[in-house]
Amino acid sequence: SYELREPVDTWLAKSDRSVVVGGPGGGKSSLLRYLALDLLSETPALDNLSARWARLLPVWIPFGYWTRLINSGFGTQCSISECLRQWLGEWNQSQLWPLVDRAIKDKRLLLLVDGLDEWVNEESGRSACQMLQVFVEDRDLSIVVTSRPYGLQRIPITGPRWQVGTLAGLSREQRRELSSKWFTIKIT
């Protein structure tokens, strides 16, 4: 185990399967949303990732939602495919399911799974995590998962193609740059 601070897009571009660990309020969910929006933009800012994942369809899903489905009667019959279909329906976007289904079948799906630590109960969390790993590995899909440290300790993701990294806080220079941009926007 060692620490090396590097830009998140450089780190993520090293593997198609990543787990981002961070504390509460550390920016894990924001990172996933930013990744999805950046990859879908006409002029992506994250060059390393846009080069690697340009042809992929990013789909964000909360892990807790899936464990609620599993716990509510679907049981282990609720695959990640079914979860994604249900999730799109919840947002009144059922018409997108055929696109997502095609992306799964032709290996163009980038799963962005938020909150591995946010399961309804540990049993449903373990079940969902195992199904998720099998789903991704069988189909050779790309995925970024987020978790708080205790979530990953309780329900680990393992495998030779998985990388795990901790989301670092902003450096002094990054905080200064962010503050400067913020105050410039507020003043104008």
Side-chain angles (χ1 to χ4, degrees), residues 159-171:
R161 293 183 55 198
W162 288 86
Q163 67 176 355
V164 179
T166 302
L167 192 60
L170 296 177
S171 67

Side-chain angles (χ1 to χ4, degrees), residues 148-160:
R148 293 179 185 171
Y150 79 87
L152 193 58
Q153 290 167 356
R154 299 284 296 269
I155 302 177
I157 292 181
T158 58

Side-chain angles (χ1 to χ4, degrees), residues 12-124:
L12 286 170
K14 292 179 180 179
S15 177
D16 285 323
R17 299 186 187 132
S18 301
V19 181
V20 178
V21 180
K28 300 176 302 295
S29 299
S30 296
L31 171 64
L32 292 185
R33 288 184 180 111
Y34 182 77
L35 288 174
L37 293 172
D38 191 62
L39 289 168
L40 293 170
S41 103
E42 291 191 25
T43 55
L46 302 174
D47 296 332
N48 291 329
L49 291 179
S50 63
R52 184 177 180 106
W53 290 339
R55 65 177 199 83
L56 302 182
L57 175 65
V59 177
W60 180 88
I61 186 88
F63 190 74
Y65 175 80
W66 189 14
T67 63
R68 280 191 298 281
L69 287 178
I70 290 170
N71 214 44
S72 70
F74 277 100
T76 56
Q77 301 304 313
C78 186
S79 66
I80 187 67
S81 295
E82 180 60 24
C83 175
L84 290 168
R85 194 182 67 69
Q86 293 278 337
W87 179 247
L88 292 170
E90 293 250 343
W91 288 95
N92 201 28
Q93 298 298 318
S94 296
Q95 75 279 5
L96 295 176
W97 171 244
L99 176 67
V100 172
D101 191 40
R102 270 195 313 271
I104 293 169
K105 289 175 181 163
D106 61 18
K107 301 179 183 184
R108 288 182 304 110
L109 182 70
L110 169 61
L111 268 175
L112 303 172
V113 181
D114 195 18
L116 183 69
D117 55 297
E118 297 176 8
W119 23 266
V120 173
N121 59 50
E122 196 166 337
E123 181 181 338
S124 63

